[in-house]
């Protein structure tokens, strides 16, 4: 494990200091585990690169790592000015995940970057590898656990969470049931949180039920794109302990249009009113370098939360502590590994 500090080290320190919980909480970054307390201000759902060509055609031949790093670097240094220290990169395998690129960017910026394992089933399985369809959930999980234990494709980079995706249908397809089941099995062996591109209420609750049937607490599940769910659904899931990820804050949208910054501020204020601010994650779902476009195409930066949403929340009478809860404490709890392995 390249540059990795073994968790046994943290456990030993924890025991020596007589601490119980805090010292055993850690986050797996692309440069190895860090104590969760070092995570700081965190963007919990962003992208460096996404390649939408499909699992059968994507690969590292599709981009030049140095060119991508050159293009992306200014957008990372820009958020460092807002004291962001951790960025969770949500691009899954077969969609442009590149552990070497993330490692290079982490080293160049000093930021904590977090990558993932898992398959992205949305878009009717265009981004899952062909062999997936012949595999059992146990076999799929084995691949993901192997990545956690030994690193991704020989890079030494270990994933810090499980990223999956299902379509927004009201029931899970057989393939997507297999994906969430594989995520459940992987979670049980690694302690990684499961972040699932989900959207509406129905597939969110369908996945939570699958996890519960495996004895997994809903607090180990992040409902990604929960803004596409109803407020009632968000509250009901939060009551169960689920993380509610409101993650497409985009200042390019016209004020007054659906999902503008005021919409987000209002939804977050409603979650606070219901007593569930401690279950909410916020992010931009922004970026990203597009291999099929000239110089990677237009890149949406990661600053809208700081320049647009935070001021909107302040005008909804949020305190500094409540904003820290959204940007520091909630991501720290959501992404802390549940098993001291
Ligand atoms: Zn995304």
């Amino acid at each position: 494990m390249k540059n990795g500090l073994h968790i046994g080290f943290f456990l030993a320190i924890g025991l020596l200091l007589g601490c119980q919980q805090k010292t055993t909480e850690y986050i797996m970054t692309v440069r190895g585990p860090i104590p969760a307390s070092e995570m700081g201000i965190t963007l919990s759902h962003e992208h460096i690169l996404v390649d939408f060509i499909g699992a059968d055609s994507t690969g590292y031949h599709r981009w030049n790592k140095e060119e991508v790093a050159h293009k992306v670097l200014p957008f990372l240094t820009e958020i460092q000015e807002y004291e962001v220290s951790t960025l969770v990169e949500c691009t899954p395998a077969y969609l442009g995940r590149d552990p070497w690129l993330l490692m290079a960017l982490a080293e160049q910026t000093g930021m904590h970057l977090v990558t993932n394992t898992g398959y992205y089933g949305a878009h009717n399985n265009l981004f899952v590898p062909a062999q997936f369809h012949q595999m059992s959930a146990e076999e799929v999980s084995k691949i993901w656990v192997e990545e956690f234990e030994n690193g991704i494709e020989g890079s030494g980079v270990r994933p810090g969470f499980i990223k999956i995706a299902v379509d927004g249908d009201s029931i899970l397809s057989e393939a997507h049931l297999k994906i969430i089941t594989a995520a459940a099995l992987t979670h049980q062996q690694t302690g990684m949180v499961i972040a699932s591109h989900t959207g509406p209420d129905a597939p969110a609750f369908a996945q939570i039920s699958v996890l519960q049937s495996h004895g997994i607490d809903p607090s180990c599940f992040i409902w990604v794109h929960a803004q596409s769910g109803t407020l009632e659904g968000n509250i009901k899931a939060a009551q169960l302990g689920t993380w509610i990820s409101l993650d497409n804050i985009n200042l390019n949208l016209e004020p007054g249009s659906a999902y503008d910054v005021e919409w987000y501020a209002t939804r977050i204020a409603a979650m606070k009113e219901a007593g569930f601010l401690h279950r909410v994650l916020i992010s931009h779902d922004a970026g990203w370098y597009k291999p099929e476009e000239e110089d990677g195409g237009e890149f949406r930066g990661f600053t809208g939360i700081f320049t647009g949403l935070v001021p909107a929340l302040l005008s909804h009478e949020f305190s500094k502590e409540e904003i820290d809860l959204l940007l520091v404490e909630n991501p720290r709890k959501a992404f802390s590994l549940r098993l001291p392995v």
Side-chain angles (χ1 to χ4, degrees), residues 26-44:
Y26 70 106
I27 308 290
M28 186 65 74
T29 78
V30 297
R31 290 189 290 173
I34 59 164
S37 56
E38 290 180 12
M39 200 181 184
I41 295 180
T42 297
L43 295 176
S44 57

Side-chain angles (χ1 to χ4, degrees), residues 71 288-299:
K71 167 110 181 182
W288 48 74
Y289 189 99
K290 303 162 190 72
E292 73 280 12
E293 292 185 25
E294 176 76 28
D295 190 33
E298 198 180 324
F299 197 101

Side-chain angles (χ1 to χ4, degrees), residues 26-260:
Y26 70 106
I27 308 290
M28 186 65 74
T29 78
V30 297
R31 290 189 290 173
I34 59 164
S37 56
E38 290 180 12
M39 200 181 184
I41 295 180
T42 297
L43 295 176
S44 57
H45 184 142
E46 308 296 349
H47 297 276
I48 298 297
L49 182 149
V50 184
D51 185 17
F52 277 116
I53 197 169
D56 57 353
S57 306
T58 190
Y60 298 120
H61 63 283
R62 297 259 304 151
W63 57 89
N64 175 305
K65 295 179 201 305
E66 280 179 22
E67 281 174 25
V68 180
H70 180 75
K71 167 110 181 182
V72 175
L73 207 55
F75 295 97
L76 294 179
T77 47
E78 187 180 25
I79 49 173
Q80 287 183 298
E81 285 167 26
Y82 293 95
E83 296 177 7
V84 175
S85 42
T86 303
L87 182 140
V88 179
E89 215 277 345
C90 286
T91 304
Y94 302 100
L95 250 171
R97 182 187 65 171
D98 185 335
W100 289 273
L101 171 64
L102 297 181
M103 172 72 94
L105 286 168
E107 282 176 351
Q108 286 174 56
T109 58
M111 287 184 75
H112 304 306
L113 300 182
V114 181
T115 188
N116 65 87
T117 189
Y119 293 159
Y120 187 96
H123 300 267
N124 201 20
N125 307 313
L126 177 63
F127 307 107
V128 301
Q131 62 269 27
F132 165 82
H133 298 286
Q134 276 76 54
M135 297 170 86
S136 65
E138 288 74 13
E139 288 168 327
V140 173
S141 166
K142 227 172 148 185
I143 294 172
W144 300 349
V145 170
E146 160 73 19
E147 288 197 333
F148 179 75
E149 289 179 347
N150 297 316
I152 298 166
E153 300 164 16
S155 65
V157 169
R158 298 173 71 189
F161 66 110
I162 303 162
K163 173 71 192 289
I164 60 170
V166 300
D167 279 319
D169 305 329
S170 55
I171 53 165
L172 295 173
S173 66
E174 205 180 307
H176 295 174
L177 180 60
K178 184 161 64 178
I179 286 180
I180 183 70
T181 304
L185 300 175
T186 305
H187 169 81
Q188 285 170 326
Q189 291 183 63
T190 64
M192 286 188 286
V193 71
I194 302 164
S196 179
H197 164 111
T198 294
D201 292 8
F205 288 100
Q207 291 174 95
I208 291 166
S209 293
V210 173
L211 296 180
Q212 288 176 317
S213 75
H214 286 268
I216 296 172
D217 192 88
S219 64
C220 302
F221 183 72
I222 300 174
W223 175 0
V224 174
H225 308 320
Q227 66 272 14
S228 301
T230 64
L231 173 61
E232 295 69 32
N234 285 182
I235 291 171
K236 195 173 143 201
Q239 271 166 345
L240 296 170
T242 306
W243 294 101
I244 307 302
S245 179
L246 306 171
D247 48 33
N248 195 0
I249 291 150
N250 183 352
L251 294 196
N252 295 338
L253 296 175
E254 287 289 315
S257 62
Y259 301 109
D260 68 356

